Amino acid sequence: MATAPERLLLRLEWKVVRRLDGRLQGAHRTAHRGSGIDFTGLRAYSDGDDARHIDWNVTARLDEPHLRVFTEDRELTVWLVLDRSASMAAGRPGRGKHDVLAELALVLARMFGRGGNRVGALLFDTGMLRVVPPGTSRRHALRIGAELERTVEARGRATTDLAEMLDAAGRLARRRALIIVLSDFIGDGDWEHSLQRLARRHEVVALRIVDTADDVLPEAGLIVVEDAETGEQLVVDSADPLLRVRFRAAVDARDARLAAGMRRAGVPVHRIDTDRDLAEALVEVVARTRDRSL
């Protein structure tokens, strides 16, 4: 009898993977100095370049430092950083943020694995880490799915430390890799500096998973609002105009801080809404990634 991850992957292979086949690989084959096997040319040295790749013969002949430039090998290691914190449980049954994260993880693992790339996963839940070492097969994608199905032991709630999650990814990925962070980015910590450190060594892409509950306060009179991360509850009048204005301002400020932090780190962030068709969302991500690299 097929397991839940197997049934999910079969459905995703039919609905999503077939539509994306070949697109993800092409979107992330980029040129990095000296890290591949195909020599593509020379260019003048600039501050911050790796001096190990200076072509000393050309430098002596032209009396100006020049670097040898290579195109990276097509195969790469991909790390999926999966946020399993309490806030990711938000959303309607069967289509909450954690459901969309599981679908994205399976699709990405299968797509990159089909291209011969090795895909690993880091599952982060408020200080608790689980790691699936990199692999390539369909069975390996199912292993990641099985880890996502596992129930985390009961524990006291705490706000997600995004910096700790990103630092853990940096410790895990020792060689240059493509790191895809799947999270709602709701949490604390000086995550911007951690992201900058990570992006200096790796190619980093952020997939921000968002549910309507993150952005919209329902107009339903007196309601109980609960912080998904800490469990703190508060009774509020959702029809209060001032409260609604303040709530909207807080959402806009949060989004602006996130966008500014990602921009300063040089990391593209793509919004994935839980009510969006997954294949359409990923096609858009690939298109934006290619446009950004032109």
Side-chain angles (χ1 to χ4, degrees), residues 4 38 41 51 131 139 161 165 174 190 221 240 251:
D38 300 325
V131 176
R139 179 177 296 180
D161 190 332
M165 180 175 73
R174 302 193 176 205
D190 184 11
D240 182 348
V251 168

Side-chain angles (χ1 to χ4, degrees), residues 85-93 95-100 184 186 209-214 228 274:
S85 61
S87 66
M88 290 296 293
R92 69 181 188 274
R95 200 57 186 171
K97 288 189 284 187
H98 65 288
D99 298 302
V100 174
D184 56 8
I186 294 176
I209 303 172
V210 180
D211 187 79
T212 304
D214 296 330
T274 56

Side-chain angles (χ1 to χ4, degrees), residues 1-21:
M1 184 175 179
T3 64
E6 285 177 308
R7 292 193 297 272
L8 178 58
L9 183 54
L10 280 170
R11 178 171 64 82
L12 293 171
E13 284 176 327
W14 179 254
K15 293 182 62 178
V16 181
V17 173
R18 284 161 55 95
R19 291 175 61 183
L20 290 172
D21 203 9

Side-chain angles (χ1 to χ4, degrees), residues 5 8-9 12 101-111 141-142 145:
L8 178 58
L9 183 54
L12 293 171
L101 179 141
E103 292 185 3
L104 282 168
L106 277 174
V107 167
L108 293 171
R110 188 72 181 113
M111 290 297 301
L142 289 172

Side-chain angles (χ1 to χ4, degrees), residues 2 5 9 16 25 37 77-78 101 113 122 133 144 156 170 200 222 282-283:
L9 183 54
V16 181
Q25 181 69 40
I37 59 173
T77 298
V78 181
L101 179 141
L122 182 156
I144 294 174
R200 279 197 291 268
L222 292 177
L282 286 175
V283 166

Side-chain angles (χ1 to χ4, degrees), residues 100-143:
V100 174
L101 179 141
E103 292 185 3
L104 282 168
L106 277 174
V107 167
L108 293 171
R110 188 72 181 113
M111 290 297 301
F112 281 110
R114 279 161 63 101
N117 304 301
R118 301 169 68 246
V119 183
L122 182 156
L123 292 81
F124 182 87
D125 189 354
T126 315
M128 299 178 64
L129 295 176
R130 282 181 283 153
V131 176
V132 179
T136 60
S137 66
R138 185 178 190 276
R139 179 177 296 180
H140 184 74
L142 289 172
R143 181 181 173 188

Side-chain angles (χ1 to χ4, degrees), residues 21-200:
D21 203 9
R23 299 195 185 206
L24 291 180
Q25 181 69 40
H28 290 283
R29 188 169 190 242
T30 56
H32 298 290
R33 296 183 294 276
S35 57
I37 59 173
D38 300 325
F39 174 70
T40 58
L42 297 161
R43 68 168 179 79
Y45 176 88
S46 60
D47 289 343
D49 286 335
D50 191 338
R52 292 175 298 177
H53 305 304
I54 292 176
D55 188 315
W56 294 107
N57 289 331
V58 174
T59 296
R61 188 165 64 251
L62 300 179
D63 198 26
E64 181 183 0
H66 275 69
L67 290 181
R68 293 173 64 85
V69 180
F70 298 83
T71 299
E72 243 186 355
D73 191 351
R74 188 174 182 83
E75 295 183 6
L76 73 160
T77 298
V78 181
W79 282 101
L80 304 178
V81 180
L82 308 175
D83 182 356
R84 300 291 288 161
S85 61
S87 66
M88 290 296 293
R92 69 181 188 274
R95 200 57 186 171
K97 288 189 284 187
H98 65 288
D99 298 302
V100 174
L101 179 141
E103 292 185 3
L104 282 168
L106 277 174
V107 167
L108 293 171
R110 188 72 181 113
M111 290 297 301
F112 281 110
R114 279 161 63 101
N117 304 301
R118 301 169 68 246
V119 183
L122 182 156
L123 292 81
F124 182 87
D125 189 354
T126 315
M128 299 178 64
L129 295 176
R130 282 181 283 153
V131 176
V132 179
T136 60
S137 66
R138 185 178 190 276
R139 179 177 296 180
H140 184 74
L142 289 172
R143 181 181 173 188
I144 294 174
E147 284 295 320
L148 286 165
E149 283 283 303
R150 285 179 52 188
T151 302
V152 179
E153 295 179 2
R155 48 158 172 68
R157 289 183 173 181
T159 303
T160 304
D161 190 332
L162 296 172
E164 184 181 356
M165 180 175 73
L166 296 169
D167 287 340
R171 292 192 298 270
L172 194 62
R174 302 193 176 205
R175 299 181 61 184
R176 184 176 178 87
L178 169 62
I179 296 180
I180 305 176
V181 184
L182 289 78
S183 173
D184 56 8
F185 291 94
I186 294 176
D188 293 330
D190 184 11
W191 60 266
E192 187 176 333
H193 286 90
S194 296
L195 185 64
Q196 290 173 355
R197 285 195 297 270
L198 194 64
R200 279 197 291 268

